[in-house]
């Protein structure tokens, strides 16, 4: 397939290549090449083991969002990544409370978010886990599982929840 940056064409090709991409994602040897084989995913805004102990809010934030001041080279940030990590948000702005753009960082690539709000960017980040078939960061697994089962109502009763996540979800919904 020819490469195109047109969003409608890319979304249509995403639908046409779903089965092929899904097989790539499920193959550990091929899953790391998905953005190489499908580079236009980077152009479409809005996509698309140890058990951790208790995680503080500040520790969780470090695994969820990285802030860079406006004018900082995003490519330098990507080049400085030394280990493969789960997707996270890269927030760019004048200050932490004045972010003007978000990116989802995955496999040393920055995918621009459509949303400019924290909540919208997180929504896109959450969905990127499903689009690219990535697992949750172990430090954030309970939080993501809670969001998955409580907010998005995905795989309730099928996904393994920690007892605390299940308890809080049940209390909120009953």
């Amino acid at each position: 397939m020819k490469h195109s940056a047109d969003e409608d064409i890319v979304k249509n090709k995403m639908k046409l290549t779903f089965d092929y991409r899904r097989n790539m994602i499920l193959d550990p040897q091929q899953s790391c090449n998905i953005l190489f084989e499908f580079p236009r995913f980077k152009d479409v805004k809005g996509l698309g083991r140890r058990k951790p102990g208790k995680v503080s809010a500040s520790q969780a934030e470090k695994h969820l969002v990285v802030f860079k001041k406006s004018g900082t080279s995003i490519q330098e940030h990507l080049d400085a990544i030394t280990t493969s990590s789960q997707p996270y948000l890269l927030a760019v702005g004048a200050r932490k409370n004045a972010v003007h753009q978000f990116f989802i960082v995955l496999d040393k690539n920055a995918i621009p978010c459509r949303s400019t709000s924290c909540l919208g960017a997180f929504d896109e980040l959450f969905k990127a886990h499903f689009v690219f078939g990535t697992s949750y960061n172990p430090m954030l697994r309970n939080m993501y599982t809670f969001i998955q089962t409580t907010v998005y109502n995905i795989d309730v009763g099928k996904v393994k929840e920690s007892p605390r996540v299940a308890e809080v979800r049940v209390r909120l919904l009953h």
Side-chain angles (χ1 to χ4, degrees), residues 2-23:
K2 286 186 172 185
H3 297 296
S4 173
D6 181 275
E7 189 170 326
D8 291 331
I9 292 172
V10 172
K11 286 183 179 181
N12 187 44
K13 288 183 179 181
M14 285 172 62
K15 290 177 186 175
L16 294 173
T17 61
F18 176 79
D19 291 330
Y20 178 75
R21 287 182 294 108
R22 188 72 186 145
N23 288 331

PDB file of all heavy atoms in Angstrom, residues 2-23:
ATOM      1  N   LYS A   2       0.432   2.218  -0.738  1.00  0.00           N
ATOM      2  CA  LYS A   2       1.164   3.475  -0.736  1.00  0.00           C
ATOM      3  C   LYS A   2       0.959   4.179   0.595  1.00  0.00           C
ATOM      4  O   LYS A   2      -0.072   4.043   1.229  1.00  0.00           O
ATOM      5  CB  LYS A   2       0.671   4.378  -1.863  1.00  0.00           C
ATOM      6  CG  LYS A   2       1.130   3.955  -3.226  1.00  0.00           C
ATOM      7  CD  LYS A   2       0.719   4.998  -4.235  1.00  0.00           C
ATOM      8  CE  LYS A   2       1.328   4.695  -5.567  1.00  0.00           C
ATOM      9  NZ  LYS A   2       1.040   5.736  -6.534  1.00  0.00           N
ATOM     10  N   HIS A   3       1.953   4.963   0.984  1.00  0.00           N
ATOM     11  CA  HIS A   3       1.853   5.723   2.228  1.00  0.00           C
ATOM     12  C   HIS A   3       1.145   7.040   1.956  1.00  0.00           C
ATOM     13  O   HIS A   3       1.386   7.688   0.947  1.00  0.00           O
ATOM     14  CB  HIS A   3       3.240   5.988   2.817  1.00  0.00           C
ATOM     15  CG  HIS A   3       3.962   4.740   3.195  1.00  0.00           C
ATOM     16  ND1 HIS A   3       3.508   3.891   4.174  1.00  0.00           N
ATOM     17  CD2 HIS A   3       5.097   4.196   2.727  1.00  0.00           C
ATOM     18  CE1 HIS A   3       4.338   2.888   4.306  1.00  0.00           C
ATOM     19  NE2 HIS A   3       5.306   3.036   3.427  1.00  0.00           N
ATOM     20  N   SER A   4       0.276   7.420   2.855  1.00  0.00           N
ATOM     21  CA  SER A   4      -0.474   8.665   2.718  1.00  0.00           C
ATOM     22  C   SER A   4      -0.594   9.319   4.074  1.00  0.00           C
ATOM     23  O   SER A   4      -0.725   8.643   5.086  1.00  0.00           O
ATOM     24  CB  SER A   4      -1.870   8.374   2.164  1.00  0.00           C
ATOM     25  OG  SER A   4      -2.652   9.544   2.178  1.00  0.00           O
ATOM     26  N   ALA A   5      -0.563  10.640   4.092  1.00  0.00           N
ATOM     27  CA  ALA A   5      -0.746  11.369   5.338  1.00  0.00           C
ATOM     28  C   ALA A   5      -2.183  11.853   5.490  1.00  0.00           C
ATOM     29  O   ALA A   5      -2.539  12.420   6.508  1.00  0.00           O
ATOM     30  CB  ALA A   5       0.213  12.558   5.398  1.00  0.00           C
ATOM     31  N   ASP A   6      -3.033  11.637   4.465  1.00  0.00           N
ATOM     32  CA  ASP A   6      -4.429  12.040   4.538  1.00  0.00           C
ATOM     33  C   ASP A   6      -5.141  11.197   5.591  1.00  0.00           C
ATOM     34  O   ASP A   6      -5.176   9.975   5.507  1.00  0.00           O
ATOM     35  CB  ASP A   6      -5.093  11.861   3.168  1.00  0.00           C
ATOM     36  CG  ASP A   6      -6.546  12.292   3.198  1.00  0.00           C
ATOM     37  OD1 ASP A   6      -7.383  11.453   3.585  1.00  0.00           O
ATOM     38  OD2 ASP A   6      -6.823  13.452   2.860  1.00  0.00           O
ATOM     39  N   GLU A   7      -5.723  11.858   6.577  1.00  0.00           N
ATOM     40  CA  GLU A   7      -6.301  11.156   7.728  1.00  0.00           C
ATOM     41  C   GLU A   7      -7.398  10.164   7.347  1.00  0.00           C
ATOM     42  O   GLU A   7      -7.439   9.051   7.857  1.00  0.00           O
ATOM     43  CB  GLU A   7      -6.837  12.178   8.726  1.00  0.00           C
ATOM     44  CG  GLU A   7      -7.254  11.570  10.035  1.00  0.00           C
ATOM     45  CD  GLU A   7      -7.550  12.613  11.098  1.00  0.00           C
ATOM     46  OE1 GLU A   7      -6.892  13.666  11.123  1.00  0.00           O
ATOM     47  OE2 GLU A   7      -8.440  12.342  11.910  1.00  0.00           O
ATOM     48  N   ASP A   8      -8.299  10.543   6.428  1.00  0.00           N
ATOM     49  CA  ASP A   8      -9.376   9.629   6.028  1.00  0.00           C
ATOM     50  C   ASP A   8      -8.830   8.391   5.326  1.00  0.00           C
ATOM     51  O   ASP A   8      -9.295   7.276   5.554  1.00  0.00           O
ATOM     52  CB  ASP A   8     -10.387  10.344   5.125  1.00  0.00           C
ATOM     53  CG  ASP A   8     -11.182  11.398   5.877  1.00  0.00           C
ATOM     54  OD1 ASP A   8     -11.377  11.219   7.105  1.00  0.00           O
ATOM     55  OD2 ASP A   8     -11.598  12.397   5.258  1.00  0.00           O
ATOM     56  N   ILE A   9      -7.832   8.588   4.481  1.00  0.00           N
ATOM     57  CA  ILE A   9      -7.219   7.452   3.789  1.00  0.00           C
ATOM     58  C   ILE A   9      -6.526   6.537   4.786  1.00  0.00           C
ATOM     59  O   ILE A   9      -6.650   5.310   4.718  1.00  0.00           O
ATOM     60  CB  ILE A   9      -6.226   7.943   2.702  1.00  0.00           C
ATOM     61  CG1 ILE A   9      -6.993   8.644   1.574  1.00  0.00           C
ATOM     62  CG2 ILE A   9      -5.395   6.790   2.159  1.00  0.00           C
ATOM     63  CD1 ILE A   9      -6.119   9.340   0.558  1.00  0.00           C
ATOM     64  N   VAL A  10      -5.798   7.132   5.741  1.00  0.00           N
ATOM     65  CA  VAL A  10      -5.104   6.339   6.759  1.00  0.00           C
ATOM     66  C   VAL A  10      -6.093   5.529   7.581  1.00  0.00           C
ATOM     67  O   VAL A  10      -5.904   4.328   7.814  1.00  0.00           O
ATOM     68  CB  VAL A  10      -4.232   7.233   7.672  1.00  0.00           C
ATOM     69  CG1 VAL A  10      -3.666   6.433   8.836  1.00  0.00           C
ATOM     70  CG2 VAL A  10      -3.103   7.868   6.865  1.00  0.00           C
ATOM     71  N   LYS A  11      -7.205   6.162   8.005  1.00  0.00           N
ATOM     72  CA  LYS A  11      -8.207   5.437   8.798  1.00  0.00           C
ATOM     73  C   LYS A  11      -8.827   4.295   8.003  1.00  0.00           C
ATOM     74  O   LYS A  11      -9.064   3.209   8.540  1.00  0.00           O
ATOM     75  CB  LYS A  11      -9.281   6.400   9.305  1.00  0.00           C
ATOM     76  CG  LYS A  11      -8.786   7.275  10.438  1.00  0.00           C
ATOM     77  CD  LYS A  11      -9.875   8.171  10.967  1.00  0.00           C
ATOM     78  CE  LYS A  11      -9.353   9.014  12.121  1.00  0.00           C
ATOM     79  NZ  LYS A  11     -10.376   9.875  12.688  1.00  0.00           N
ATOM     80  N   ASN A  12      -9.074   4.510   6.720  1.00  0.00           N
ATOM     81  CA  ASN A  12      -9.624   3.443   5.889  1.00  0.00           C
ATOM     82  C   ASN A  12      -8.620   2.294   5.763  1.00  0.00           C
ATOM     83  O   ASN A  12      -8.986   1.118   5.864  1.00  0.00           O
ATOM     84  CB  ASN A  12     -10.001   3.978   4.503  1.00  0.00           C
ATOM     85  CG  ASN A  12     -10.720   2.937   3.681  1.00  0.00           C
ATOM     86  OD1 ASN A  12     -11.604   2.241   4.185  1.00  0.00           O
ATOM     87  ND2 ASN A  12     -10.342   2.819   2.423  1.00  0.00           N
ATOM     88  N   LYS A  13      -7.353   2.637   5.564  1.00  0.00           N
ATOM     89  CA  LYS A  13      -6.325   1.595   5.457  1.00  0.00           C
ATOM     90  C   LYS A  13      -6.132   0.875   6.794  1.00  0.00           C
ATOM     91  O   LYS A  13      -5.798  -0.308   6.816  1.00  0.00           O
ATOM     92  CB  LYS A  13      -5.014   2.190   4.961  1.00  0.00           C
ATOM     93  CG  LYS A  13      -5.078   2.557   3.489  1.00  0.00           C
ATOM     94  CD  LYS A  13      -3.771   3.069   2.950  1.00  0.00           C
ATOM     95  CE  LYS A  13      -3.896   3.388   1.465  1.00  0.00           C
ATOM     96  NZ  LYS A  13      -2.650   3.863   0.897  1.00  0.00           N
ATOM     97  N   MET A  14      -6.373   1.589   7.892  1.00  0.00           N
ATOM     98  CA  MET A  14      -6.313   0.937   9.208  1.00  0.00           C
ATOM     99  C   MET A  14      -7.357  -0.170   9.274  1.00  0.00           C
ATOM    100  O   MET A  14      -7.085  -1.269   9.763  1.00  0.00           O
ATOM    101  CB  MET A  14      -6.558   1.955  10.327  1.00  0.00           C
ATOM    102  CG  MET A  14      -5.397   2.872  10.593  1.00  0.00           C
ATOM    103  SD  MET A  14      -5.807   4.201  11.757  1.00  0.00           S
ATOM    104  CE  MET A  14      -6.209   3.289  13.220  1.00  0.00           C
ATOM    105  N   LYS A  15      -8.557   0.118   8.783  1.00  0.00           N
ATOM    106  CA  LYS A  15      -9.623  -0.886   8.789  1.00  0.00           C
ATOM    107  C   LYS A  15      -9.261  -2.071   7.899  1.00  0.00           C
ATOM    108  O   LYS A  15      -9.478  -3.230   8.262  1.00  0.00           O
ATOM    109  CB  LYS A  15     -10.948  -0.270   8.327  1.00  0.00           C
ATOM    110  CG  LYS A  15     -11.551   0.689   9.314  1.00  0.00           C
ATOM    111  CD  LYS A  15     -12.825   1.316   8.762  1.00  0.00           C
ATOM    112  CE  LYS A  15     -13.332   2.388   9.705  1.00  0.00           C
ATOM    113  NZ  LYS A  15     -14.486   3.105   9.151  1.00  0.00           N
ATOM    114  N   LEU A  16      -8.705  -1.776   6.728  1.00  0.00           N
ATOM    115  CA  LEU A  16      -8.363  -2.831   5.774  1.00  0.00           C
ATOM    116  C   LEU A  16      -7.228  -3.730   6.256  1.00  0.00           C
ATOM    117  O   LEU A  16      -7.161  -4.895   5.884  1.00  0.00           O
ATOM    118  CB  LEU A  16      -7.986  -2.217   4.420  1.00  0.00           C
ATOM    119  CG  LEU A  16      -9.107  -1.490   3.669  1.00  0.00           C
ATOM    120  CD1 LEU A  16      -8.554  -0.779   2.442  1.00  0.00           C
ATOM    121  CD2 LEU A  16     -10.197  -2.475   3.265  1.00  0.00           C
ATOM    122  N   THR A  17      -6.333  -3.185   7.067  1.00  0.00           N
ATOM    123  CA  THR A  17      -5.158  -3.952   7.508  1.00  0.00           C
ATOM    124  C   THR A  17      -5.284  -4.460   8.943  1.00  0.00           C
ATOM    125  O   THR A  17      -4.310  -4.947   9.506  1.00  0.00           O
ATOM    126  CB  THR A  17      -3.879  -3.096   7.390  1.00  0.00           C
ATOM    127  OG1 THR A  17      -4.009  -1.941   8.238  1.00  0.00           O
ATOM    128  CG2 THR A  17      -3.627  -2.662   5.955  1.00  0.00           C
ATOM    129  N   PHE A  18      -6.482  -4.358   9.524  1.00  0.00           N
ATOM    130  CA  PHE A  18      -6.651  -4.716  10.927  1.00  0.00           C
ATOM    131  C   PHE A  18      -6.176  -6.135  11.248  1.00  0.00           C
ATOM    132  O   PHE A  18      -5.413  -6.342  12.187  1.00  0.00           O
ATOM    133  CB  PHE A  18      -8.109  -4.550  11.368  1.00  0.00           C
ATOM    134  CG  PHE A  18      -8.339  -4.998  12.781  1.00  0.00           C
ATOM    135  CD1 PHE A  18      -7.977  -4.172  13.831  1.00  0.00           C
ATOM    136  CD2 PHE A  18      -8.867  -6.251  13.067  1.00  0.00           C
ATOM    137  CE1 PHE A  18      -8.158  -4.577  15.144  1.00  0.00           C
ATOM    138  CE2 PHE A  18      -9.055  -6.661  14.370  1.00  0.00           C
ATOM    139  CZ  PHE A  18      -8.695  -5.828  15.418  1.00  0.00           C
ATOM    140  N   ASP A  19      -6.629  -7.119  10.486  1.00  0.00           N
ATOM    141  CA  ASP A  19      -6.262  -8.511  10.782  1.00  0.00           C
ATOM    142  C   ASP A  19      -4.746  -8.716  10.701  1.00  0.00           C
ATOM    143  O   ASP A  19      -4.159  -9.377  11.550  1.00  0.00           O
ATOM    144  CB  ASP A  19      -6.971  -9.478   9.837  1.00  0.00           C
ATOM    145  CG  ASP A  19      -8.476  -9.539  10.108  1.00  0.00           C
ATOM    146  OD1 ASP A  19      -8.868  -9.334  11.278  1.00  0.00           O
ATOM    147  OD2 ASP A  19      -9.231  -9.790   9.164  1.00  0.00           O
ATOM    148  N   TYR A  20      -4.142  -8.155   9.677  1.00  0.00           N
ATOM    149  CA  TYR A  20      -2.690  -8.273   9.520  1.00  0.00           C
ATOM    150  C   TYR A  20      -1.951  -7.633  10.695  1.00  0.00           C
ATOM    151  O   TYR A  20      -1.039  -8.223  11.274  1.00  0.00           O
ATOM    152  CB  TYR A  20      -2.259  -7.626   8.199  1.00  0.00           C
ATOM    153  CG  TYR A  20      -0.775  -7.659   7.973  1.00  0.00           C
ATOM    154  CD1 TYR A  20      -0.138  -8.838   7.609  1.00  0.00           C
ATOM    155  CD2 TYR A  20      -0.006  -6.502   8.113  1.00  0.00           C
ATOM    156  CE1 TYR A  20       1.227  -8.875   7.397  1.00  0.00           C
ATOM    157  CE2 TYR A  20       1.360  -6.531   7.902  1.00  0.00           C
ATOM    158  CZ  TYR A  20       1.974  -7.719   7.541  1.00  0.00           C
ATOM    159  OH  TYR A  20       3.325  -7.750   7.341  1.00  0.00           O
ATOM    160  N   ARG A  21      -2.379  -6.403  11.075  1.00  0.00           N
ATOM    161  CA  ARG A  21      -1.749  -5.714  12.201  1.00  0.00           C
ATOM    162  C   ARG A  21      -1.955  -6.479  13.495  1.00  0.00           C
ATOM    163  O   ARG A  21      -1.050  -6.578  14.323  1.00  0.00           O
ATOM    164  CB  ARG A  21      -2.296  -4.286  12.356  1.00  0.00           C
ATOM    165  CG  ARG A  21      -1.800  -3.333  11.305  1.00  0.00           C
ATOM    166  CD  ARG A  21      -2.309  -1.908  11.499  1.00  0.00           C
ATOM    167  NE  ARG A  21      -3.745  -1.802  11.318  1.00  0.00           N
ATOM    168  CZ  ARG A  21      -4.630  -1.611  12.305  1.00  0.00           C
ATOM    169  NH1 ARG A  21      -4.232  -1.467  13.545  1.00  0.00           N
ATOM    170  NH2 ARG A  21      -5.921  -1.538  12.045  1.00  0.00           N
ATOM    171  N   ARG A  22      -3.136  -7.026  13.682  1.00  0.00           N
ATOM    172  CA  ARG A  22      -3.431  -7.780  14.911  1.00  0.00           C
ATOM    173  C   ARG A  22      -2.494  -8.975  15.035  1.00  0.00           C
ATOM    174  O   ARG A  22      -1.968  -9.261  16.108  1.00  0.00           O
ATOM    175  CB  ARG A  22      -4.902  -8.241  14.899  1.00  0.00           C
ATOM    176  CG  ARG A  22      -5.323  -8.848  16.192  1.00  0.00           C
ATOM    177  CD  ARG A  22      -5.447  -7.758  17.240  1.00  0.00           C
ATOM    178  NE  ARG A  22      -5.714  -8.364  18.515  1.00  0.00           N
ATOM    179  CZ  ARG A  22      -5.269  -7.911  19.667  1.00  0.00           C
ATOM    180  NH1 ARG A  22      -4.570  -6.809  19.710  1.00  0.00           N
ATOM    181  NH2 ARG A  22      -5.528  -8.512  20.778  1.00  0.00           N
ATOM    182  N   ASN A  23      -2.266  -9.676  13.915  1.00  0.00           N
ATOM    183  CA  ASN A  23      -1.318 -10.795  13.939  1.00  0.00           C
ATOM    184  C   ASN A  23       0.096 -10.323  14.240  1.00  0.00           C
ATOM    185  O   ASN A  23       0.848 -11.001  14.940  1.00  0.00           O
ATOM    186  CB  ASN A  23      -1.359 -11.573  12.615  1.00  0.00           C
ATOM    187  CG  ASN A  23      -2.635 -12.370  12.480  1.00  0.00           C
ATOM    188  OD1 ASN A  23      -3.223 -12.797  13.468  1.00  0.00           O
ATOM    189  ND2 ASN A  23      -3.074 -12.582  11.247  1.00  0.00           N
TER     190      ASN A  23
END
